[in-house]
Amino acid sequence: MLPRRLKQLVFVSFHIFLVVLFVVANNDFCASVFETQVDFTLFDHVINKTDVADEFECQLKCMGNNSCKSFNVHRNGNNAKKLCELNNKTRQMKPGDFKRNKGSTYYGSVQGTCVDVSRQRSGKTKGSQCHPNYKGKLCQTLRLSHFASNPGKSCKHILEANDSKGDGEYWIDPEGKGNSLKVYCDMKTDGGGWLLTSIFMVDNPTTPPAWTAEPSYRGITKFTNHKMGITISAMKELRGHLRFTQMRFHCSKQQGRTFHVTTAANSSGEAVVEYFSNQTNTRPDSCLSFVRMKDDNSYLSRNCSRWGNDRSSNFGKWGHRNEQGETRLYDLTAHVDKHYIWKTTGIYRLCDDNKNDAFINLSKGDFWKIFVR
């Protein structure tokens, strides 16, 4: 068995060798700080357990395992040996599983700045890059929303903080009370910052799923089930926390057309947001209230003056006179009677088509989505 001082020298030398080898093999040097957390353990990510003489032996086992990213060392009762647990995750990757555990020690690396050390003639580096979850000059600042413990206020807040990682899942806390929820953010369309509040996607064209509108805005966390929508009262609750000013309606049928509009940044657009946030029952004007997105090829968006043709003289309006309930966002939301319709309730799913006129068959992947910003 190696003397303790010799082990320490070998340990340091081995790490220096790894760094030098990495720099030679790659122009980009990713600095990692090796950390020790006494009386803590990363639970539920163990890929191998074995008895070892000391921490150094456990470290060597981790280095020899390509899947190992950190390790725990536990006291083993009165046994002289210790229990070594190799983990395939780090505490930064799974912060919820990192917990206090007296008598155990966690070992892992914290990835820091990833710098391109190839030099130009000026002697300056070409640039630098942090680990995706961190930012700042020394890459020590945790980005918003990548973990439940550090949520953003909204998708727009995350984007404005330069903490976006593109379209995908993020953690937000609209109420700011430490009760975060996982949501989907569109960070690219029309400048990004869009929070998904409803999604209906066709997984099986022959049996469109039945659904019930979520009574709380926190139901937006169920976006992965492809049949998520919230009531207009829940939308009002959400707006009370986020004060969003725009909505985006996007549906598409592979065998049909795409309806894709964003409410305008004017009083007409604001009226639409108020109507679908249960702040008024007055149906808003359709024309001048929205902007067409580039992929929109619908007849509905080009015939705004005919919206709301529901056998009354009330033309050019969003919604329907008989659809003033909690699901007005989904049933005849925008429509030209018997021709072009947005509808996700009932047995039909309509996107710029009509069951009595030119009904377009469903295909796997057809969708209806609503976003707010």
Side-chain angles (χ1 to χ4, degrees), residues 10 12 18 104 142 187 243 253 279 296 367:
V10 172
V12 173
L18 287 178
S104 299
L142 188 64
M187 296 301 199
R243 303 305 306 167
K253 281 189 171 182
Q279 294 173 298
D296 177 271
F367 65 83

Side-chain angles (χ1 to χ4, degrees), residues 273-302:
V273 176
E274 291 180 354
Y275 178 68
F276 289 117
S277 298
N278 200 26
Q279 294 173 298
T280 179
N281 286 323
T282 302
R283 292 167 59 193
D285 293 334
S286 49
C287 294
L288 303 181
S289 70
F290 63 85
V291 177
R292 296 174 62 194
M293 297 292 98
K294 291 181 179 180
D295 59 342
D296 177 271
N297 62 359
S298 67
Y299 295 127
L300 188 58
S301 65
R302 287 174 279 175

Side-chain angles (χ1 to χ4, degrees), residues 58-311:
C58 192
Q59 170 79 1
L60 291 178
K61 289 183 180 295
C62 184
M63 290 179 175
N65 188 317
N66 291 333
S67 298
C68 182
K69 291 182 171 59
S70 66
F71 59 95
N72 310 310
V73 177
H74 306 280
R75 294 175 185 169
N76 207 352
N78 296 324
N79 195 327
K81 287 184 174 288
K82 298 182 178 182
L83 177 62
C84 168
E85 294 179 337
L86 306 186
N87 304 315
N88 61 0
K89 302 292 182 182
T90 65
R91 71 179 181 90
Q92 288 79 17
M93 298 166 70
K94 295 292 181 179
D97 297 329
F98 185 67
K99 302 175 182 178
R100 182 172 293 279
N101 188 22
K102 190 171 180 60
S104 299
T105 305
Y106 166 86
Y107 298 82
S109 62
V110 180
Q111 189 166 4
T113 307
C114 187
V115 181
D116 183 352
V117 297
S118 58
R119 302 272 178 173
Q120 299 177 347
R121 292 182 180 179
S122 63
K124 297 181 179 180
T125 58
K126 292 182 179 179
S128 62
Q129 182 181 353
C130 294
H131 184 277
N133 293 331
Y134 292 83
K135 65 179 182 180
K137 187 175 181 179
L138 298 176
C139 297
Q140 294 178 332
T141 303
L142 188 64
R143 289 185 178 275
L144 283 176
S145 78
H146 292 212
F147 299 115
S149 58
N150 190 41
K153 172 76 172 178
S154 66
C155 296
K156 185 179 180 182
H157 175 215
I158 297 165
L159 185 70
E160 292 175 342
N162 295 318
D163 286 342
S164 169
K165 57 185 178 182
D167 295 348
E169 298 179 354
Y170 291 85
W171 289 94
I172 67 170
D173 182 8
E175 299 177 43
K177 295 181 179 179
N179 192 13
S180 58
L181 62 158
K182 184 182 288 187
V183 299
Y184 184 90
C185 296
D186 179 340
M187 296 301 199
K188 298 178 181 178
T189 304
D190 191 40
W194 294 100
L195 169 63
L196 181 68
T197 59
S198 74
I199 177 172
F200 301 93
M201 184 172 288
V202 177
D203 296 320
N204 186 342
T206 60
T207 56
W211 69 280
T212 301
E214 297 289 334
S216 167
Y217 82 85
R218 299 186 69 85
I220 61 178
T221 59
K222 299 180 181 181
F223 62 90
T224 56
N225 69 13
H226 293 172
K227 55 177 184 178
M228 178 273 292
I230 61 176
T231 63
I232 57 173
S233 292
M235 190 68 80
K236 182 178 181 180
E237 181 188 11
L238 178 62
R239 196 178 193 215
H241 298 306
L242 295 188
R243 303 305 306 167
F244 56 83
T245 58
Q246 286 185 290
M247 300 182 71
R248 181 157 60 87
F249 299 84
H250 189 188
C251 69
S252 184
K253 281 189 171 182
Q254 296 180 44
Q255 298 184 51
R257 297 177 293 274
T258 296
F259 175 67
H260 193 185
V261 301
T262 297
T263 56
N266 56 27
S267 58
S268 295
E270 171 64 18
V272 177
V273 176
E274 291 180 354
Y275 178 68
F276 289 117
S277 298
N278 200 26
Q279 294 173 298
T280 179
N281 286 323
T282 302
R283 292 167 59 193
D285 293 334
S286 49
C287 294
L288 303 181
S289 70
F290 63 85
V291 177
R292 296 174 62 194
M293 297 292 98
K294 291 181 179 180
D295 59 342
D296 177 271
N297 62 359
S298 67
Y299 295 127
L300 188 58
S301 65
R302 287 174 279 175
N303 288 273
C304 63
S305 62
R306 297 172 59 193
W307 286 22
N309 183 357
D310 46 24
R311 297 178 179 85

